[in-house]
């Protein structure tokens, strides 16, 4: 793989809403009422804040439908499983689900994930200092998913830039739509080629897929491909940043993990609970007479669910604002729940495990060296650190 294509700075901050600490407000909302009408990004919307109500919405896809995304994400991605329900959703998700099972991922671990991690660390390990968000976290999962899709490495930087522009559509709508059609144009010849000559990649899986004996329409293929890159990259780099930030600001837990790597799954799950990279999702109410958290929500209305608030619900977690890798409590909701539970959860956990183990192995005596930077976790729709300026013992 050509490392030089990564010399250009493709970092685009797609965080929507520059909020430093939303948790006091979530806490106050949960105390007032678990479900309420709130102005979100300027529009009044029902929002569920408590763990139980968020869980109820995500678990019942007949009452709470994902077609809510037809008016937003579908306009940018095209047809996508995120916005489908019922049989259509199961059939489309099933096409690529096997590629994301743990067993299938074992191969990618050694052939792809570990080499990319070490190649990126090679560039900084001898220096003794780095800004991990831009130099490592952001560049890593995006390369993994681009390669899993089958994008040639020399096109990665362009592909990443376009994808980031597309998903930052809330910031700049024209640029987002332009990027979406540019990606379609770029991908079209690959889809044709893989249809004639399939390879071991996800474009080939989709190009040759059939549902009920019919080939997947091209627009559905592009919809999938447009979703997978941001879904796979945007989220994992934020998770890795949140984990690194949590450990660097809780040095006793960092040392415990360094000494006992079997604690990695606990550290990752607690990070997902403590700072959910994706803070919310939404559904549309499909039935009359639905009451949630004591509030009647009319059919046809949308409801946002605050994953970030649910994960800090004090009725489920003791002292919920504290980061504690030994915490007990119910599973967090950072990967959603029910039929749309994150398809890439295993991949995200695996990538984060490989990356954090390599960081701990190679960047000895790792510590935050903030200078004037004031690194902190921020964001309203997505959350992760602004920057992670660090020092360590040069290799
Ligand atoms: C590691 C951090 C990640 C987080 C926090 C995360 C979060 C989420 C959440 C909350 C959902 C549910 C959305 C909803 O129900 O409306 C979701 C769905 C999804 N995620 Fe992830 N994700 C992560 C990593 C990944 C990765 C690595 C991939 C791989 C490509 C991925 C692909 C997907 C897909 C395809 C869906 C849609 C599933 C469906 O609609 O059936 N995610 N993710």
């Amino acid at each position: 793989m050509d490392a030089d294509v990564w010399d250009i700075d493709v970092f685009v901050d797609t965080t929507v809403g520059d909020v430093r600490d939303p948790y006091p407000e979530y806490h106050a909302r949960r105390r007032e009422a678990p479900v309420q009408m709130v102005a979100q990004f300027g529009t009044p919307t029902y929002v569920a804040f408590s763990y139980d109500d968020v869980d109820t919405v995500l678990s019942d896809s007949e009452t709470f439908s994902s077609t809510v995304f037809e008016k937003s994400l579908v306009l940018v991605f095209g047809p996508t499983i995120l916005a489908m329900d019922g049989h259509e959703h199961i059939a489309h998700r099933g096409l690529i689900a096997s590629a994301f099972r743990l067993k299938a991922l074992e191969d990618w671990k050694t052939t792809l994930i570990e080499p990319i991690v070490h190649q990126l660390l090679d560039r900084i390990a001898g220096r003794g200092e780095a800004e991990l968000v831009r130099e490592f976290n952001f560049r890593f999962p995006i390369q993994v998913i681009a390669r899993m899709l089958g994008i040639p490495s020399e096109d990665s930087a362009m592909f990443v830039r376009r994808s980031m522009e597309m998903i930052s559509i809330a910031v700049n709508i024209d640029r987002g739509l332009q990027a979406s059609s540019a990606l379609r144009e770029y991908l079209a010849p690959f889809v044709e080629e893989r249809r004639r000559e399939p390879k071991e990649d996800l474009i080939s899986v989709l190009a040759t897929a059939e549902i009920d004996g019919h080939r997947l329409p091209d627009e559905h293929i592009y919809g999938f491909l447009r979703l997978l890159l941001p879904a796979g990259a945007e989220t994992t780099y934020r998770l890795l940043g949140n984990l690194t930030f949590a450990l660097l600001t809780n040095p006793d837990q960092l040392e415990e993990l360094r000494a006992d790597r079997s604690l990695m799954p606990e550290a990752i799950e607690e990070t997902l609970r403590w700072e959910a990279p994706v803070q919310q999702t939404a559904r549309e109410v499909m039935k009359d007479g639905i009451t949630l958290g004591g509030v009647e929500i009319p059919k046809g209305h949308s409801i946002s669910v605050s994953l970030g608030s649910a994960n800090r619900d004090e009725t489920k977690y003791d002292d919920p604002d504290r980061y504690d890798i030994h915490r007990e409590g119910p599973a967090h909701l950072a990967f959603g729940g029910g039929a749309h539970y994150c398809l890439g959860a295993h991949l995200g956990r695996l990538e984060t495990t490989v990356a954090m183990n390599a960081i701990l192995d190679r960047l000895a005596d790792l510590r935050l060296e903030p200078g004037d930077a004031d690194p902190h976790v921020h964001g309203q729709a997505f959350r992760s650190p602004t920057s992670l300026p660090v020092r360590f013992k040069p290799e």
Side-chain angles (χ1 to χ4, degrees), residues 14 76-77 162-170 176 226 230 234:
T14 52
V76 194
F77 290 149
R162 289 296 195 190
S163 302
M164 293 296 114
E165 286 172 357
M166 180 182 70
I167 56 170
S168 54
I169 192 151
R226 287 197 193 97
E234 165 87 9

Side-chain angles (χ1 to χ4, degrees), residues 81-82 89 93 145 231-232 235-236 239 281 283 334-336 340 342 344:
I81 54 169
L82 262 181
H89 173 247
R93 184 174 160 123
I145 192 73
T235 49
T236 307
L239 169 58
T281 184
R283 297 292 187 262
F335 285 128
H340 290 268
C342 177

Side-chain angles (χ1 to χ4, degrees), residues 164-322:
M164 293 296 114
E165 286 172 357
M166 180 182 70
I167 56 170
S168 54
I169 192 151
V171 183
N172 186 333
I173 189 158
D174 290 336
R175 190 182 63 176
L177 290 173
Q178 246 174 36
S180 173
S181 63
L183 279 174
R184 187 194 190 291
E185 240 168 75
Y186 168 76
L187 289 166
F190 289 101
V191 172
E192 279 313 309
E193 194 191 304
R194 300 298 204 281
R195 202 167 264 148
R196 283 195 307 273
E197 233 179 286
K199 295 188 180 167
E200 297 285 305
D201 57 39
L202 286 170
I203 297 184
S204 302
V205 172
L206 292 167
T208 55
E210 287 188 0
I211 292 184
D212 300 334
H214 298 287
R215 212 171 72 184
L216 199 61
D218 283 2
E219 278 317 313
H220 283 70
I221 298 178
Y222 299 127
F224 248 124
L225 297 173
R226 287 197 193 97
L227 166 69
L228 284 174
L229 191 119
E234 165 87 9
T235 49
T236 307
Y237 106 81
R238 294 188 188 282
L239 169 58
L240 182 57
N242 292 342
L243 174 63
T244 315
F245 182 82
L247 293 171
L248 290 172
T249 52
N250 291 277
D252 49 332
Q253 297 186 56
L254 172 66
E255 284 322 309
E256 214 185 324
L257 178 65
R258 190 191 291 284
D260 179 2
R261 303 300 175 82
S262 72
L263 291 170
M264 191 65 80
E266 280 94 328
I268 291 177
E269 297 315 300
E270 172 63 352
T271 304
L272 283 158
R273 183 201 69 83
W274 186 65
E275 279 293 5
V278 179
Q279 284 276 302
Q280 61 183 50
T281 184
R283 297 292 187 262
E284 181 177 345
V285 177
M286 303 305 279
K287 296 178 182 166
D288 285 316
I290 296 302
T291 301
L292 189 74
V295 177
E296 186 172 338
I297 307 179
K299 184 177 167 184
H301 272 257
S302 59
I303 173 153
S304 286
V305 294
S306 175
L307 308 173
S309 172
N311 283 349
R312 300 256 189 145
D313 188 329
E314 46 286 297
T315 66
K316 301 291 172 187
Y317 304 103
D318 196 27
D319 193 4
D321 295 335
R322 186 167 42 92

Side-chain angles (χ1 to χ4, degrees), residues 137-173:
N137 300 1
F138 182 71
R139 293 169 185 232
F140 153 56
I142 222 153
Q143 290 192 64
V144 173
I145 192 73
R147 288 282 302 279
M148 283 177 74
L149 292 178
I151 303 298
S153 56
E154 65 271 22
D155 293 346
S156 297
M158 179 284 298
F159 193 66
V160 167
R161 183 191 297 279
R162 289 296 195 190
S163 302
M164 293 296 114
E165 286 172 357
M166 180 182 70
I167 56 170
S168 54
I169 192 151
V171 183
N172 186 333
I173 189 158

